[in-house]
Amino acid sequence: MYAHRIRRADLLARVMPADAAARLFAPAMTVGMSGFTRAGDAKALPRALVERARTEPLCLTLITGASLGNDSDGLMANAGVIARRLPFQADAALRRKINSGEVLFIDQHLSETAEQLRSGALPPVDIAVIEAAAIRADGAIVPTMAVGNSASFVQQAKHVIVELNLSAPLALEGLHDIYLPRPRPERAPIQLTSPGERIGTTAIAIDPDRIVAIVVTDSPDSPSNVLPPDAETDAIARHVVTFLEGEVAAGRMGPQLLPLQAGIGTIANAVLHGLSQSPFRGLTMYSEVLQDSAIALLDSGHLAFASASSITLSAPMHEHFIHNIDRYRDRLVLRPQEISNHPEIVRRLGIIGMNTALEFDIYGNVNSTHVGGTHMMNGIGGSGDFARNGELAIFVSKSAAKDGAISSVVPMVAHVDHTEHDVDVLVTEWGLADLRGLAPRERAPLIIERCTHPDFRPALRDYYARALLRGGQTPHVLEEALAWHERYRVIGTMQA
Amino acid sequence: MYAHRIRRADLLARVMPADAAARLFAPAMTVGMSGFTRAGDAKALPRALVERARTEPLCLTLITGASLGNDSDGLMANAGVIARRLPFQADAALRRKINSGEVLFIDQHLSETAEQLRSGALPPVDIAVIEAAAIRADGAIVPTMAVGNSASFVQQAKHVIVELNLSAPLALEGLHDIYLPRPRPERAPIQLTSPGERIGTTAIAIDPDRIVAIVVTDSPDSPSNVLPPDAETDAIARHVVTFLEGEVAAGRMGPQLLPLQAGIGTIANAVLHGLSQSPFRGLTMYSEVLQDSAIALLDSGHLAFASASSITLSAPMHEHFIHNIDRYRDRLVLRPQEISNHPEIVRRLGIIGMNTALEFDIYGNVNSTHVGGTHMMNGIGGSGDFARNGELAIFVSKSAAKDGAISSVVPMVAHVDHTEHDVDVLVTEWGLADLRGLAPRERAPLIIERCTHPDFRPALRDYYARALLRGGQTPHVLEEALAWHERYRVIGTMQA
């Protein structure tokens, strides 16, 4: 009955219920699951593993592409399925387990997990669980809305379980471009010189004997949960568009800009939405994830081509995308995250990276991950891959949070994910600070006056003035540098 | 009289004294000078500019490869020649000017300066000053002991001044491999797949009309000032060699390892010296700078090939190298620093990066640049290029400094140059902590017990135990996190 999706008769016998497939797991195994920013994740096995953990604790090391949907991360964390998790997550329940120390979280650059699996720096994957739209006659697995690390997991895992999702349109076939670098020293240049090129295959090759189970599902990805643009995100978007117009006017890039990357989340989505009011045409994206805004820019004609590792959409946009998929077929490609985020490609193409900061400091260091310097929010994701190696590293944030109790601009960030060496441009709703070619003593006044919420400017000016008295390349009053965070922790506001 | 070094008759007329060439400069110009880790720097023009500044302040923006020799940086800083400096320096007098705010210092990844010049993110170079061993019949400039950013400066500068150094052996000709990436969007893959390949030309091409002056000099590079190995650096080297032997035994790399990079300085030099007592043969280096230890490893046969952007040697090793240069000719290549440090190549080859930390914290963040979090030492150099994109990022440091007053392992570094996401291995004379695949709560005990000086272990254990009570992915007692640095500033010791 699944012959159009399972195109080898010998594999039909491996279809089994999820609970049967879950019995293939053993405690302390390393498991690789498909799924990247709620897209393309396994739907049945996470729940089957939760059931199974009621009788036997599993304590798995779970590696994915990025975050899972369907509350899977939280359910598995609460049930004791997961003891160790990498490289990214965005689940409230799992986050609590991480911050309490019950689940160990390794917060990794998204381009590096595949490399560390290949080299043996991470333990080998015992079982891979891969969502598929189809299994081809040669056994190759056609992914769904994300590629993530699936190709790496399939390449390495002892056993592969396919989740065949009947709700995934067969029209997805052909959208993917699967290419993995070879082990060293046979590693060759990646011959990709523009976002639209294809260098690989349209499905993940595998010896079909390694597919030990096929579990059939029929539920779509969790819808994206980004918020709509608001006055502040609109202002941030305007600052970014004006800045990019200035780059074109100065001759630093052409009117089609350089390939764009935008991180996950509300602000990055809003910035891309802002481009639909821009004069730019023929834009390209070379990103890790596409949100609603990217599809809208393809529709409006601003965007000529989009390359990513995952597509995560709101329910209505998902409906629109699926019904019009043929329109996008020659303007979209989904790649392994090792390739979408690869230093080689990011530097070659000269990506403009736009990512969200939790907070940044007066010298341009960015914290993307740790609330109060200690508690994990989601993880660094791909922001470091793009910020470090791209042409422009733009970080965006609203200037304040928690009804003005928290300033996003602080004397010193309490955790550094992107150093002053890597950050080019900072943007809040108040303005934009272009830090390129500036020394720390030039950056501080610019960041204070352009980006900070007016309520916090006097205190930052005062801090910086007193720091200058102590001298140095990067002046600080060290005993006060983290006092804003400490004040928030103790009295609930950074305001003095 | 210089016909064998200036192989175009029309250029002989442009030979002039340094003071005449110095008159080509105007205040506030942007100047690109050759020179990388005291090697291949211009010898005459810096002093001529110092003389010239007695009558007219120059306030130049000075861009180099890396640090200059001959006290040039300090002399120029003290004379007001330099107002702005990038991307690296290592001069005591310039450092004072930077930390007092009199000279603005932009502390950059060494792979990025050329890219920022190309894109226009940095101001265009008005005058390039390039040390050469010869000017060929086609006008092409043969560099001396370093390439650095010279090819980029020559490509971009309005005017080029050549310092022809008669003390540089003509046998250097052929040692260099000059290749620069093309502007985007014509950027192509860099077709370099092993340290020994050549992809460019042996000299820096230039339209000879752009050479406006040739100044003849005859003094060698400043000798390297690294200290000899001692008991502590020997112990660090042994830990590194033992670790690498373990990687080979575990099958994570072959017996020739992966290409090695070693930063400038005493400890990195000692670690490489340690390899001469190792079982490894057929090693390669793909580094930014070669010190005495690299030449010794070529001599001993441990090292099969070395690629770098600069060679900086002690006086006796320089003598040895120059006299035996034909022995090294087919085992050495000098490249532009954009290529020696390029993310594409560093990731492709899987570099093992070994660099020195000023301090690191219990979670694996590394400070390479800022003493006390505020005062510049030298700069990040290429350490970020290699740590971020290579296969293994190893940071080494003695566990204590200033007669035990300073611990190199602290609760929180006061400036972050390499984030926890990028750091794989930490080493002091006490031991080695392999952080790969570990969560922050696993890293802290390991770093405290393996790497910390015993005098500081109880205090770090106490800090970490109290931090755990506050919870989080990366537990901290925020109001104490920087107290060790503050205590040193106020009472001269981190000891409580």
Side-chain angles (χ1 to χ4, degrees):
Chain A
M1 65 186 285
Y2 308 120
H4 62 301
R5 289 191 185 255
I6 305 178
R7 300 174 198 152
R8 289 178 68 93
D10 61 340
L11 286 181
L12 288 168
R14 289 178 219 168
V15 175
M16 64 180 75
D19 61 339
R23 284 194 289 273
L24 299 168
F25 292 73
M29 271 185 169
T30 297
V31 173
M33 281 193 184
S34 68
F36 191 110
T37 55
R38 308 164 73 86
D41 54 329
K43 311 295 191 291
L45 260 299
R47 281 174 161 70
L49 292 170
V50 166
E51 282 307 308
R52 183 161 161 203
R54 291 183 199 278
T55 53
E56 183 182 28
L58 282 172
C59 304
L60 304 176
T61 292
L62 176 61
I63 313 177
T64 57
S67 53
L68 302 180
N70 299 290
D71 302 324
S72 292
D73 259 327
L75 293 169
M76 288 192 285
N78 283 335
V81 173
I82 315 175
R84 182 181 289 270
R85 183 76 175 86
L86 62 154
F88 186 81
Q89 60 79 41
D91 182 279
L94 174 54
R95 188 180 296 139
R96 278 192 295 274
K97 292 282 186 187
I98 289 169
N99 286 320
S100 68
E102 294 166 86
V103 172
L104 291 167
F105 178 53
I106 296 100
D107 181 20
Q108 275 194 330
H109 300 298
L110 294 186
S111 77
E112 288 199 354
T113 311
E115 197 75 90
Q116 294 204 351
L117 284 170
R118 187 179 296 120
S119 73
L122 290 172
V125 174
D126 294 299
I127 297 182
V129 184
I130 309 294
E131 186 178 79
I135 300 174
R136 298 206 306 209
D138 60 358
I141 297 168
V142 178
T144 56
M145 293 287 272
V147 178
N149 282 317
S150 294
S152 297
F153 297 150
V154 167
Q155 189 175 63
Q156 187 179 61
K158 295 185 194 77
H159 302 300
V160 174
I161 298 173
V162 173
E163 279 205 8
L164 190 77
N165 190 333
L166 305 182
S167 82
L170 276 171
L172 288 174
E173 199 171 345
L175 210 63
H176 312 92
D177 186 54
I178 310 298
Y179 171 93
L180 290 180
R182 296 180 61 188
R184 301 185 186 99
E186 288 83 29
R187 186 76 58 93
I190 303 173
Q191 304 289 349
L192 184 73
T193 58
S194 71
E197 286 176 65
R198 290 179 162 274
I199 55 174
T201 58
T202 53
I204 302 171
I206 180 176
D207 171 358
D209 288 346
R210 291 172 55 229
I211 299 177
V212 297
I214 300 172
V215 175
V216 177
T217 69
D218 194 14
S219 55
D221 291 336
S222 302
S224 157
N225 50 6
V226 300
L227 302 171
D230 58 28
E232 288 169 344
T233 63
D234 280 348
I236 291 171
R238 276 197 308 277
H239 295 312
V240 171
V241 170
T242 301
F243 168 77
L244 293 172
E245 288 174 346
E247 291 300 289
V248 174
R252 284 191 284 270
M253 52 185 79
Q256 303 177 341
L257 306 182
L258 288 161
L260 302 166
Q261 176 265 338
I264 190 85
T266 301
I267 306 181
N269 197 50
V271 169
L272 277 197
H273 264 303
L275 289 172
S276 67
Q277 271 91 55
S278 80
F280 305 121
R281 294 293 182 281
L283 300 173
T284 56
M285 288 187 74
Y286 194 84
S287 197
E288 57 186 23
V289 56
L290 304 179
Q291 303 185 83
D292 283 17
S293 51
I295 305 301
L297 286 172
L298 283 169
D299 287 346
S300 69
H302 290 77
L303 192 59
F305 198 95
S307 167
S309 190
S310 156
I311 306 175
T312 182
L313 302 173
S314 67
M317 189 57 101
H318 187 266
E319 189 72 9
H320 167 77
F321 177 76
I322 293 297
H323 277 95
N324 297 282
I325 195 160
D326 283 332
R327 261 208 250 161
Y328 303 110
R329 182 169 298 285
D330 57 354
R331 294 199 290 155
L332 258 187
V333 63
L334 292 179
R335 309 179 189 278
Q337 71 196 70
E338 185 179 8
I339 302 301
S340 65
N341 292 32
H342 201 288
E344 173 173 343
I345 310 299
V346 171
R347 176 61 62 96
R348 183 181 303 148
L349 299 184
I351 305 295
I352 301 172
M354 298 184 287
N355 292 285
T356 305
L358 275 185
E359 63 176 5
F360 50 84
D361 67 29
I362 59 172
Y363 297 112
N365 300 283
V366 169
N367 174 7
S368 300
T369 57
H370 281 68
V371 177
T374 53
H375 283 61
M376 177 55 56
M377 178 59 88
N378 298 330
I380 190 168
S383 57
D385 292 320
F386 295 100
R388 176 68 187 82
N389 293 305
E391 173 68 14
L392 272 175
I394 302 174
F395 284 91
V396 296
S397 176
K398 294 187 181 188
S399 69
K402 302 273 179 198
D403 289 326
I406 292 177
S407 173
S408 304
V409 191
V410 291
M412 177 187 272
V413 291
H415 184 90
V416 178
D417 293 295
H418 309 287
T419 74
E420 46 139 353
H421 311 284
D422 292 346
V423 176
D424 294 311
V425 174
L426 295 171
V427 196
T428 68
E429 72 277 19
W430 294 98
L432 179 147
D434 178 0
L435 309 179
R436 292 175 298 173
L438 299 187
R441 286 172 184 242
E442 296 171 297
R443 294 177 211 150
L446 201 63
I447 293 170
I448 294 170
E449 303 307 329
R450 296 270 174 89
C451 298
T452 309
H453 191 286
D455 288 355
F456 289 100
R457 282 183 207 170
L460 278 180
R461 287 181 196 130
D462 173 63
Y463 177 87
Y464 180 60
R466 287 181 295 113
L468 279 174
L469 300 176
R470 297 220 184 143
Q473 160 85 352
T474 304
H476 272 298
V477 183
L478 222 54
E479 69 275 26
E480 291 180 29
L482 301 175
W484 293 32
H485 301 83
E486 181 59 12
R487 198 181 305 134
Y488 178 76
R489 192 183 72 82
V490 175
I491 66 168
T493 179
M494 285 185 174
Q495 304 263 15
Chain B
M1 62 187 284
Y2 309 119
H4 62 302
R5 289 191 185 255
I6 304 177
R7 300 176 197 149
R8 291 178 65 95
D10 61 340
L11 287 181
L12 288 168
R14 291 180 217 166
V15 175
M16 64 180 74
D19 60 341
R23 285 195 289 273
L24 299 168
F25 292 74
M29 272 186 169
T30 297
V31 173
M33 282 194 183
S34 67
F36 191 109
T37 55
R38 307 164 73 87
D41 55 329
K43 313 293 191 290
L45 260 299
R47 280 173 162 69
L49 291 171
V50 166
E51 282 306 310
R52 167 135 187 226
R54 290 184 201 279
T55 53
E56 181 182 30
L58 282 172
C59 303
L60 305 176
T61 292
L62 177 61
I63 313 177
T64 57
S67 52
L68 302 179
N70 299 291
D71 302 323
S72 293
D73 259 327
L75 293 170
M76 289 192 284
N78 283 336
V81 174
I82 315 175
R84 181 180 290 271
R85 183 77 175 85
L86 62 155
F88 186 81
Q89 60 77 41
D91 182 280
L94 174 54
R95 186 180 298 139
R96 278 191 295 274
K97 292 282 185 187
I98 289 169
N99 285 320
S100 68
E102 294 167 87
V103 172
L104 292 166
F105 179 52
I106 297 99
D107 181 21
Q108 277 193 329
H109 300 298
L110 294 186
S111 76
E112 288 198 354
T113 311
E115 197 75 91
Q116 293 203 352
L117 285 171
R118 188 179 295 118
S119 73
L122 289 173
V125 174
D126 294 300
I127 298 182
V129 183
I130 309 295
E131 186 179 79
I135 300 174
R136 298 207 305 210
D138 59 0
I141 298 168
V142 178
T144 56
M145 292 288 271
V147 179
N149 282 318
S150 294
S152 297
F153 297 150
V154 167
Q155 189 174 64
Q156 187 179 61
K158 295 185 194 79
H159 303 300
V160 174
I161 298 173
V162 173
E163 280 205 8
L164 190 76
N165 190 332
L166 304 181
S167 82
L170 276 170
L172 288 174
E173 198 171 345
L175 210 64
H176 312 92
D177 186 54
I178 310 298
Y179 171 94
L180 291 180
R182 296 180 61 189
R184 301 183 186 102
E186 288 83 29
R187 187 76 60 94
I190 303 173
Q191 303 291 349
L192 185 74
T193 58
S194 71
E197 285 176 65
R198 289 179 163 274
I199 54 174
T201 58
T202 53
I204 301 170
I206 180 175
D207 171 356
D209 287 344
R210 292 173 54 229
I211 299 177
V212 295
I214 300 171
V215 174
V216 178
T217 68
D218 194 15
S219 56
D221 291 335
S222 300
S224 157
N225 52 4
V226 302
L227 302 171
D230 58 28
E232 289 169 345
T233 62
D234 280 348
I236 291 170
R238 277 198 307 277
H239 296 312
V240 171
V241 170
T242 302
F243 168 78
L244 292 172
E245 289 174 345
E247 290 299 289
V248 174
R252 284 193 283 270
M253 53 185 79
Q256 302 177 343
L257 306 182
L258 288 162
L260 302 166
Q261 176 265 337
I264 190 85
T266 301
I267 306 182
N269 196 49
V271 169
L272 277 197
H273 263 304
L275 289 172
S276 67
Q277 271 91 55
S278 80
F280 305 121
R281 293 294 182 282
L283 300 173
T284 57
M285 288 188 73
Y286 194 84
S287 196
E288 58 186 20
V289 55
L290 304 179
Q291 303 185 83
D292 283 17
S293 51
I295 305 301
L297 286 173
L298 284 169
D299 287 346
S300 68
H302 291 77
L303 192 59
F305 198 94
S307 167
S309 191
S310 156
I311 306 176
T312 181
L313 302 173
S314 66
M317 188 57 99
H318 186 266
E319 188 74 10
H320 167 78
F321 176 77
I322 293 297
H323 277 94
N324 296 282
I325 195 160
D326 283 332
R327 260 208 250 162
Y328 303 109
R329 182 169 298 284
D330 56 353
R331 295 199 289 153
L332 259 186
V333 62
L334 291 179
R335 309 180 189 277
Q337 70 196 71
E338 184 180 8
I339 302 300
S340 65
N341 292 31
H342 201 288
E344 172 173 344
I345 309 299
V346 171
R347 175 63 61 96
R348 182 180 303 148
L349 300 183
I351 306 295
I352 301 173
M354 299 185 286
N355 292 286
T356 305
L358 275 185
E359 63 177 4
F360 50 84
D361 68 29
I362 59 172
Y363 297 112
N365 300 284
V366 169
N367 174 7
S368 300
T369 57
H370 281 68
V371 177
T374 53
H375 282 62
M376 177 55 56
M377 178 59 87
N378 297 331
I380 190 168
S383 57
D385 292 320
F386 294 100
R388 175 68 187 84
N389 293 305
E391 172 69 13
L392 272 176
I394 302 174
F395 284 90
V396 296
S397 176
K398 294 187 181 188
S399 69
K402 302 274 179 197
D403 289 327
I406 292 177
S407 173
S408 304
V409 191
V410 291
M412 178 187 272
V413 290
H415 183 89
V416 178
D417 293 294
H418 309 287
T419 74
E420 46 138 353
H421 312 283
D422 292 345
V423 176
D424 294 310
V425 173
L426 294 171
V427 196
T428 68
E429 72 277 19
W430 294 98
L432 179 147
D434 179 359
L435 310 178
R436 292 175 297 173
L438 299 187
R441 286 170 184 245
E442 295 172 296
R443 294 178 212 149
L446 202 62
I447 293 170
I448 295 171
E449 304 306 328
R450 296 268 174 89
C451 298
T452 309
H453 191 285
D455 288 355
F456 289 100
R457 283 183 207 171
L460 279 180
R461 288 182 195 128
D462 173 62
Y463 177 86
Y464 180 58
R466 287 181 296 111
L468 279 174
L469 301 176
R470 296 219 185 145
Q473 161 83 351
T474 305
H476 271 298
V477 182
L478 222 55
E479 69 274 25
E480 290 180 29
L482 301 174
W484 292 33
H485 300 83
E486 182 58 13
R487 197 181 305 134
Y488 178 77
R489 192 183 71 84
V490 176
I491 65 168
T493 179
M494 286 185 176
Q495 305 262 14

